[in-house]
Amino acid sequence: MSTVSDYFGSLVFDDRVMRSTLSADVYASLRKTIDEGKELDIGVANAVAEAMKTWAVSKGATHFTHWFQPLTGITAEKHDSFISPAPDGSVIMEFSGKELIKGEPDASSFPSGGLRATFEARGYTAWDPTSYAFIKGKTLCIPTAFCSYGGHALDKKTPLLRSMESLSKQALRILRLFGNDTAKRVVSSVGPEQEYFLITKEMYDARPDLRFTGRTLFGAKPPKGQELDDHYFGVIKPGVTAFMEDLNDELWKLGILAKTEHNEVAPAQHELAPIYTTTNVATDHNQLTMEIMQKVAAKHGLVCLLHEKPFAGVNGSGKHYNWSIATDGGQNLLSPGDTPHENAQFLLFLCAVIKAVDDYQDLLRISVATAGNDHRLGANEAPPAVISIVLGDELNAVLEAIETDTPYAGTRRMQMKLGVDVLPKFNRDTTDRNRTSPFAFTGNKFEFRMLGSSNSIACANIMLNAAVAESLRIYADRLEKAEDFETALHEMIKKTIKDHKRIIFNGNGYDDAWIREATEERGLLNYRTTADCMPHLLDEKNVKMLTSLGVFTVDELKSRRDIMLENYCKSVLIEANTMISMVKRNIAPAITRFTADLARQAAEKKAILPGLACGYETGLIETLSALTDSIAAKTEELETAVTALGDEADIVEEAARIRDTILPKMSELRIPCDAAETLTEKSYWPFPTYGDLLFSVK
Ligand code: ADP
Ligand code: MG
C-alpha cells in the first residue's frame, strides 16, 4: 500500500515536477515569474506548456481547462481536448504556450453587473502561475484570472492578487523603515477551517427545500438536538469516517494540506481544517475542497451541505479564517518577537490591523454577506453582525499601558517604551478562548469568524488585505518623513490605540447588552442583512481606499454591488417560491388528509357508541384546522408580496423590499407549518423531519 507521502500532490504540476521536467533555464525563468511576478516570455511558456501536457497526458488527462472563479462564487471551467489532427488521419496531443497563458471563454453567461455587454461576450482568462496547475478527472486545470476585454475584473482572483500586491508593497515600506533591506515580498497567508453537514442522499432527495435552496425552510425542532453537547469532538461514525478518509485522499492528491477533522457542535456537523498557505493558493484550495467534499459525499450515498444555516434552531456552518502576514523569508509579522526592536515592529503591524478593522468594519461585513449567512450572523452561535476585535488580556494590558503611559502590570512590571523594552511573552491561549468574537488575535494570527461556510474566502482576503495595506500606507507616509523615527512610531501607536480602541471588546459578543453598547455607545456598525450592508460598498471612503490602492476600479465596485444584491434577491425569491409550492402541494394537503381521517375515525367510533365525546379527535381536528387556515392565509400573504415585487427603481430598493416584505412573511408562514408537523401523525407528513435528517448518517 502506498503511503500518503507517496501520493501527496501526485495530481499537481508542482515544484518537484517542474524541476524534473523543465530545463534549468526554463525552470529558472518560471520560478522568477512565480516568486517575483516577472513577465513570462512566449518561449518559456511554450516549454512549460509542452512539459505540462506531457505530464498531464501521462496521468491520463485528455483535456485542459482554464479554471476560474467568476462572481457566482463557484468555479468555472470549459474543457478543450489536447487533440490535433495529423495528416495521416491520426491525432497528436498538443498544447501551446499561448493556450497556457490566455484563454477566451464565451463569457456572456457569467454575471458581470453590466461590465460587459452581451454583444461583446468575450472575456479572457489569464494564467496565474503562482497557483499550481492540477488534474481533476481527465482534465488539466490551469488556475486563471478572468477579465473582460476592457480589462475589468470579472472574477474574484484578479482583485485578490491586486490586494496581495498592494499589501506587500506597503508592508515592505514599513519593513525598510525598521532596517529590513532583504525582504522582497510580504505575503498574506490563511488557513480556513471549513464546517459542513452530512446527510444521506435519500433524505436529501425527499426535501425540495434542500434541493432547491440548500436549507430547510420548514421543520420542527427534533426531540434531541445539540443540547447534550455530545457531538462536538465526539467519536466519528463509521459512515462519516469512510467519507473523511476518502476526502483526505482526494485532497492530498491535489496537494491540499488537509490536516484536522472533527465533529462539530450540531448533530451531523463536521469540520475540516487545512494547514495554512498563501491566500491565493488557499483560496483555490478552499474552492476545490468544497467541490470535492460534494463529490466524495455523493460516492458514499451522502450529501454535503455547505449552506450557512441548513437547519433552524441548530448551529449553522461557518468558516474560520485564520490570517497572518509574513515576509518571503518567513518572519511572521503578527508574531511578537524576542527583541525590543521586533516588538515595536509587531505592535505597529498589530495596530495596522486594529485600525483597518475599525475603519473598514463595513467592508468586512460586506465580504461575508450572503442571504444564507444573514441567518447565521447574530444568531447566538456565530459572532454577531457587529464587528469587534478580541486581543486577550495580556496584549490588552500592554496596549492600555502604552496608551496611558503607565507601567505595564503584567507578569513583569515595566514601563512600556517602544524600542526599549521587551514585551512579555504572550501565552497562546487555546483553552479559554473567546469564541464569541468575530475577529480574534490568537497569538500570531487573527481569526475572522464571520465567514459563512459557502463563502469564497477570496472576498474576505481582498478586503482585509486592502484595509491593512491602507493602514500601512498611512503609517509609512508619516514615518518616512519623521525626523525622529522612535518618537514618531511611539506617538502613532498611541494614537491608533486611542482612536480605535472602541473596536476592541473582550466580553461576550453574544450578549444583547454588547450589541446595545457597541451601537449606541461606541458607534460601531450593525448591518444585520446583505440588503443593509451591500449598498455601503460604494460609500466614498470605501471607493477611495479600494481604487487608490488599485484593488478595484469604480466600475468593478458598482458591478459587484449589483451582482451581490441580485444574488440576494434571487436566493430569497427562490426560497419563497419553494415554500409556497411545498405548502400548497404537500403540507396543506397532508394535514387535511390527516384531519379528515381523524374525523372519519371519530365518526366510526360514535356510530358504535353514540355517547362518546371523542375529545381527543375533536380537539386535534380543531387545532389542526385552525393551523391550516392560518397556513392558507399566510401563504396567500407571501404570494401577494412576491407578486407585488418588480416595480422598484433599482436593485438596492428591491433588496430592501425583499428584506422587509418577503423574509418576515416567510418566517411567519413557517410557524404554523412547524406547529402542525408536531401534531400530525408521522406517516402523513410529506417530508423527513429534522430528527430524520440530522441522525440519518450511520
Ligand atoms: P484552532 O483555531 O482550532 O486553535 P490552530 O490555531 O491550530 O487551530 O489552526 C487553525 C488554522 O489556522 C489552521 O488552518 C492553521 O493552519 C492556521 N494557522 C496556523 N498558523 C497560522 C498563521 N501563522 N497564519 C495563518 N494561518 C495559520
Ligand atoms: Mg480556530
Side-chain angles (χ1 to χ4, degrees):
M1 223 180 94
S2 57
T3 62
V4 177
S5 48
D6 294 333
Y7 62 86
F8 185 86
S10 59
L11 296 178
V12 186
F13 192 76
D14 60 15
D15 197 65
R16 294 174 298 186
V17 189
M18 287 178 193
R19 208 191 292 261
S20 68
T21 58
L22 299 172
S23 73
D25 285 354
V26 169
Y27 174 76
S29 314
L30 181 58
R31 238 3 302 167
K32 266 203 157 3
T33 302
I34 294 172
D35 298 335
E36 295 161 37
K38 291 265 183 312
E39 212 163 301
L40 201 66
D41 81 69
I42 187 72
V44 174
N46 278 330
V48 176
E50 180 62 28
M52 245 187 214
K53 178 210 69 187
T54 308
W55 168 82
V57 169
S58 78
K59 300 252 170 203
T62 54
H63 288 68
F64 68 92
T65 184
H66 277 198
W67 183 78
F68 58 101
Q69 298 167 27
L71 297 171
T72 49
I74 49 174
T75 57
E77 45 199 78
K78 181 194 104 186
H79 300 181
D80 279 302
S81 75
F82 291 120
I83 62 164
S84 173
D88 64 356
S90 66
V91 290
I92 49 170
M93 302 298 256
E94 264 188 355
F95 184 46
S96 69
K98 212 169 123 247
E99 287 171 306
L100 166 64
I101 294 179
K102 195 164 170 180
E104 298 188 6
D106 176 341
S108 54
S109 299
F110 293 107
S112 78
L115 280 183
R116 184 206 47 237
T118 31
F119 61 82
E120 221 219 357
R122 286 186 316 168
Y124 69 89
T125 49
W127 182 31
D128 164 22
T130 59
S131 181
Y132 296 136
F134 57 90
I135 296 172
K136 204 168 53 143
K138 286 179 173 288
T139 304
L140 168 68
C141 298
I142 299 150
T144 53
F146 179 40
C147 295
S148 76
Y149 263 88
H152 290 299
L154 296 176
D155 68 349
K156 303 197 175 188
K157 181 176 279 249
T158 308
L160 172 61
L161 293 171
R162 292 175 185 158
S163 75
M164 291 169 67
E165 202 48 50
S166 165
L167 178 65
S168 177
K169 185 170 149 200
Q170 302 305 332
L172 281 177
R173 288 175 69 194
I174 299 288
L175 289 177
R176 298 290 181 254
L177 289 166
F178 279 89
N180 181 335
D181 291 324
T182 51
K184 285 201 194 118
R185 284 177 87 81
V186 167
V187 282
S188 51
S189 295
V190 57
E193 303 168 46
Q194 176 75 50
E195 292 179 344
Y196 59 95
F197 280 86
L198 282 180
I199 61 170
T200 63
K201 172 107 185 3
E202 193 193 344
M203 292 296 157
Y204 176 83
D205 284 342
R207 296 279 317 205
D209 44 4
L210 283 177
R211 284 190 284 121
F212 296 137
T213 74
R215 72 175 178 114
T216 54
L217 300 168
F218 302 98
K221 252 179 103 73
K224 174 176 173 1
Q226 59 196 55
E227 301 80 0
L228 297 176
D229 285 328
D230 54 354
H231 192 254
Y232 189 60
F233 283 15
V235 176
I236 302 173
K237 290 177 185 165
V240 178
T241 304
F243 162 83
M244 285 178 171
E245 282 172 4
D246 241 12
L247 175 64
N248 284 335
D249 272 351
E250 294 304 319
L251 296 178
W252 288 334
K253 281 190 229 161
L254 285 167
I256 296 172
L257 295 157
K259 171 88 174 162
T260 313
E261 59 204 17
H262 58 78
N263 284 350
E264 259 301 330
V265 173
Q269 194 184 28
H270 313 280
E271 180 185 297
L272 174 94
I275 298 172
Y276 69 99
T277 175
T278 325
T279 41
N280 181 30
V281 174
T283 303
D284 287 358
H285 281 182
N286 185 248
Q287 292 296 131
L288 269 176
T289 301
M290 292 193 284
E291 182 184 328
I292 290 169
M293 278 176 161
Q294 282 161 322
K295 279 196 186 143
V296 172
K299 272 207 272 177
H300 288 252
L302 306 174
V303 174
C304 171
L305 303 177
L306 288 169
H307 193 283
E308 282 72 19
K309 193 75 185 170
F311 306 101
V314 172
N315 263 20
S317 298
K319 186 142 56 189
H320 287 177
Y321 165 94
N322 299 271
W323 178 91
S324 70
I325 42 180
T327 64
D328 52 345
Q331 185 194 8
N332 183 344
L333 300 173
L334 295 176
S335 185
D338 296 323
T339 65
H341 185 77
E342 283 170 349
N343 278 321
Q345 184 182 301
F346 158 72
L347 284 172
L348 189 66
F349 279 102
L350 180 80
C351 282
V353 178
I354 294 171
K355 176 174 163 58
V357 174
D358 188 27
D359 284 343
Y360 298 102
Q361 298 160 48
D362 44 1
L363 290 182
L364 289 176
R365 172 67 183 90
I366 286 168
S367 78
V368 300
T370 58
N373 210 17
D374 285 354
H375 293 292
R376 193 181 141 259
L377 296 176
N380 252 18
E381 77 209 48
V386 177
I387 299 193
S388 64
I389 301 181
V390 64
L391 293 175
D393 294 343
E394 277 176 298
L395 193 49
N396 228 30
V398 169
L399 294 194
E400 258 167 37
I402 296 172
E403 188 201 349
T404 53
D405 285 320
T406 49
Y408 165 71
T411 35
R412 237 164 4 108
R413 203 177 158 75
M414 56 199 251
Q415 192 75 32
M416 288 303 306
K417 176 116 173 48
L418 290 172
V420 180
D421 290 323
V422 183
L423 284 182
K425 275 265 170 258
F426 304 117
N427 294 327
R428 283 203 53 198
D429 73 317
T430 41
T431 44
D432 188 23
R433 191 180 281 182
N434 183 339
R435 297 214 163 254
T436 64
S437 178
F439 208 93
F441 182 68
T442 52
N444 62 355
K445 63 184 191 294
F446 279 95
E447 187 167 314
F448 183 31
R449 302 195 177 124
M450 286 172 87
L451 280 82
S453 45
S454 71
N455 280 153
S456 157
I457 62 170
C459 306
N461 270 329
I462 295 167
M463 294 311 180
L464 190 58
N465 286 348
V468 174
E470 176 69 0
S471 304
L472 294 173
R473 186 187 65 75
I474 293 168
Y475 289 171
D477 282 352
R478 215 170 305 153
L479 288 174
E480 281 166 359
K481 289 197 211 93
E483 281 174 16
D484 173 7
F485 177 70
E486 297 267 289
T487 312
L489 178 68
H490 191 96
E491 282 312 308
M492 215 158 51
I493 289 179
K494 226 170 114 168
K495 182 170 158 41
T496 302
I497 301 168
K498 240 190 199 62
D499 291 351
H500 298 286
K501 66 178 174 194
R502 65 170 186 164
I503 197 81
I504 297 169
F505 175 65
N506 292 298
N508 180 2
Y510 293 178
D511 203 340
D512 285 341
W514 159 240
I515 304 300
R516 223 169 307 117
E517 179 188 330
T519 50
E520 287 165 22
E521 288 162 37
R522 302 194 186 201
L524 298 177
L525 299 172
N526 184 15
Y527 294 136
R528 299 294 306 262
T529 69
T530 302
D532 295 321
C533 68
M534 204 47 81
H536 295 284
L537 183 58
L538 296 183
D539 284 0
E540 204 185 327
K541 76 168 176 65
N542 295 336
V543 173
K544 193 156 165 254
M545 185 273 280
L546 291 165
T547 56
S548 70
L549 289 175
V551 174
F552 284 111
T553 64
V554 179
D555 288 341
E556 285 168 356
L557 286 171
K558 282 195 184 126
S559 76
R560 265 154 228 258
R561 181 204 62 174
D562 290 356
I563 290 168
M564 296 311 289
L565 284 172
E566 265 166 31
N567 191 288
Y568 172 80
C569 295
K570 284 182 191 160
S571 304
V572 178
L573 282 179
I574 291 171
E575 289 182 349
N577 286 324
T578 304
M579 271 189 119
I580 293 168
S581 149
M582 284 171 78
V583 168
K584 286 190 169 177
R585 301 182 52 189
N586 306 100
I587 295 178
I591 307 171
T592 310
R593 208 169 342 110
F594 177 53
T595 39
D597 281 354
L598 275 175
R600 211 169 302 121
Q601 283 160 18
E604 282 170 11
K605 280 189 190 173
K606 280 191 183 184
I608 301 168
L609 289 167
L612 275 185
C614 288
Y616 164 71
E617 290 86 349
T618 326
L620 202 46
I621 291 168
E622 226 170 326
T623 312
L624 282 170
S625 300
L627 285 171
T628 318
D629 289 347
S630 163
I631 289 169
K634 289 185 193 307
T635 308
E636 197 177 317
E637 277 174 38
L638 178 58
E639 261 187 304
T640 311
V642 170
T643 326
L645 288 170
D647 52 359
E648 297 75 17
D650 66 6
I651 190 72
V652 174
E653 239 178 75
E654 188 182 332
R657 182 124 168 231
I658 282 180
R659 172 198 62 203
D660 296 337
T661 67
I662 307 294
L663 280 164
K665 291 204 162 42
M666 285 167 57
S667 306
E668 279 173 35
L669 171 56
R670 180 175 180 146
I671 297 168
C673 293
D674 290 356
E677 183 196 312
T678 62
L679 299 173
T680 303
E681 202 249 290
K682 188 149 179 0
S683 63
Y684 287 80
W685 200 253
F687 308 115
T689 63
Y690 270 25
D692 299 332
L693 293 166
L694 289 166
F695 299 93
S696 64
V697 183
K698 298 289 176 262

